[in-house]
Structures are given as C-alpha cells and as structure tokens.
C-alpha cells in the first residue's frame, strides 16, 4: 500500500483573524480523521491559540478554513475582507489557488455536540473534492439540512483599495464630527495612522 501520510493536505483552521487564532481542542482530530493535517496546531486537545501571520505564511497551508467563533457567514465574509488588506494573506498557497472555505462559526465546529459529526462529514468532502464541486456550493451531507458554508471569492485589487479609502474617509469624517477632544500630539498621531491605513496606533 502507498503511504497515505504523503497524501495528507495541510489545512489551517482559522478561528479568529485579529488576533490570528488557529483551531484547537477537537479540530486537529477532525482534520486528521478527514485525511488532512492541521500543520499550525497538530496536537489534539490543545486549546486554540494565537499565531503570527509570519508563522502562518511559513506553514503555507494548502487549504484554509475560516470559521470565526460566534459569527455567521455574512460576518465571516466581512472579516475575511479585512484580511485582504494584509499583504501576507495573498502569499498563502490556499489563497493563491482558491482553496479557502468560509464556515458559519456560530453553528459549526466551535461547540462540542452532535453537529461535529456534520463537520467531519463536510470537511472530509471538502478536502477530497475538486474546485468545480466546491464552486457549485454542493451539499455533501446525506441528510436534507444544508451545511452553512461558502467558497471564498477573492476581491479584486481595486475593490480592496476602494474599501481602504472608504474606511479612511469614514475615520476622518467621524473624527471631525466628534470635534477635538485630544491634545495636538494625539491628533497628529491619529492623522498619520489614518493616512497610512493603520487600524491602531500608540498614543504619544
């Protein structure tokens, strides 16, 4: 028999994006049972934990499953759109080849219970399906209830740029409407952060 381990796909299960949390607890075992390996956290039973974007890029997963705890698909889509503003996101093999799935984390994976059986059935299908099957939004579950997921569709560079510009404009507008409540040093730090598109900055 061939060595099956050589066929295992490297999967990254992302439980939150800012900071970047990777799945733990039962998730690595589900991925292993489905025929993959959770390279960023392969140990069963270990809690979810924060990793750096550099660590994720270095691991370079073939498949990414984004399933933020407590968020539905619409909110998950918005969260991934924020990731598109980060240079490291586009370096991932999974993103380059379109092997990214968004899952409703309010319903699936993040709580122990019978639905983990559905999660295992779905992830097994996803790891062994082709792009055409995924893009059709197929329902791999044997029963009638549809698994709450969708295939990630990358935004164009122009769409990402437009979102960044819109957020900058909104931040400036909100700042002006609220009036000046800070020292000139803080206002200057805020202005520079807005210009650079930074989400946070350190008060002087």
């Amino acid at each position: 028999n061939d060595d099956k381990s050589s066929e295992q796909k490297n999967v990254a299960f992302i439980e939150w994006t800012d900071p970047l949390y990777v799945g733990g607890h039962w998730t690595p075992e589900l991925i292993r049972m489905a025929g993959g390996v959770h390279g960023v956290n392969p140990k069963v039973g270990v809690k979810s934990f924060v990793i750096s974007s550099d660590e994720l890029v270095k691991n370079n997963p073939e498949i990414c499953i984004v399933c933020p705890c407590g968020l539905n698909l619409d909110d998950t889509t918005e969260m991934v759109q924020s990731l598109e503003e980060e240079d490291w996101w586009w370096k991932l093999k999974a993103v380059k080849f379109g092997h990214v799935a968004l899952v409703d984390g309010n319903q699936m994976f993040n709580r122990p219970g019978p639905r983990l059986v559905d999660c295992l059935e779905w992830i097994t299908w996803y790891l062994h399906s082709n792009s055409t099957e995924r893009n059709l939004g197929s329902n791999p579950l044997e029963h009638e209830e549809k698994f709450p997921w969708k295939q990630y569709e990358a935004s164009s560079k122009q769409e990402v740029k437009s979102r960044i510009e819109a957020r900058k404009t909104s931040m400036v507008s909100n700042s002006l409407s609220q009036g000046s409540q800070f020292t000139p040093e803080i206002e200057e730090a805020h202005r520079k952060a807005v210009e650079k598109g930074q989400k946070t900055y350190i008060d002087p």
Side-chain angles (χ1 to χ4, degrees):
N1 291 336
D2 294 334
D3 182 5
K4 296 295 183 182
S5 63
S6 64
E7 301 175 8
Q8 290 182 323
K9 290 186 174 68
N10 184 16
V11 181
F13 189 97
I14 300 175
E15 214 172 84
W16 202 255
T17 61
D18 189 15
L20 197 57
Y21 267 89
V22 293
H25 301 287
W26 46 82
T27 302
E29 185 173 12
L30 288 176
I31 293 172
R32 180 188 60 77
M33 292 172 68
V37 59
H38 194 219
V40 287
N41 181 18
K43 296 182 179 179
V44 176
V46 175
K47 293 181 179 180
S48 305
F49 58 83
V50 176
I51 65 169
S52 68
S53 58
D54 288 342
E55 289 175 287
L56 185 58
V57 171
K58 184 177 180 180
N59 184 260
N60 204 17
E62 299 168 79
I63 292 174
C64 275
I65 298 171
V66 185
C67 184
C69 185
L71 298 190
N72 60 28
L73 273 178
D74 289 339
D75 292 335
T76 299
T77 300
E78 288 187 18
M79 184 171 273
V80 172
Q81 287 178 344
S82 295
L83 288 179
E84 291 182 327
E85 298 176 17
E86 307 293 341
D87 291 339
W88 63 263
W89 174 250
W90 302 100
K91 296 177 183 178
L92 299 177
K93 184 186 295 184
V95 176
K96 290 178 180 178
F97 290 95
H99 302 321
V100 180
L102 313 184
V103 178
D104 186 327
N106 189 45
Q107 298 186 57
M108 297 298 175
F109 281 106
N110 295 314
R111 297 188 183 96
R115 282 187 171 181
L116 289 180
V117 176
D118 291 343
C119 294
L120 175 58
E121 190 174 345
W122 174 82
I123 198 171
T124 301
W125 170 82
Y126 192 85
L127 263 60
H128 301 283
S129 61
N130 58 45
S131 297
T132 300
E133 293 170 326
R134 295 172 187 169
N135 290 330
L136 288 175
S138 303
N139 177 26
L141 304 187
E142 293 183 358
H143 50 74
E144 293 183 0
E145 183 179 357
K146 188 174 177 65
F147 193 86
W149 82 283
K150 68 179 183 179
Q151 184 67 19
Y152 164 67
E153 296 180 7
S155 302
S156 67
K157 291 183 178 180
Q158 184 56 48
E159 288 172 328
V160 175
K161 183 178 179 180
S162 296
R163 286 200 299 265
I164 294 173
E165 292 300 324
R167 189 179 67 252
K168 287 181 181 179
T169 301
S170 177
M171 290 173 66
V172 171
S173 177
N174 290 338
S175 179
L176 291 174
S177 66
Q178 292 172 2
S180 178
Q181 302 173 354
F182 308 106
T183 66
E185 291 82 6
I186 292 178
E187 287 184 355
E188 179 64 13
H190 174 74
R191 183 187 66 78
K192 289 181 178 180
V194 170
E195 289 180 350
K196 295 179 181 179
Q198 295 174 337
K199 299 178 182 179
T200 60
Y201 62 92
I202 300 174
D203 289 344

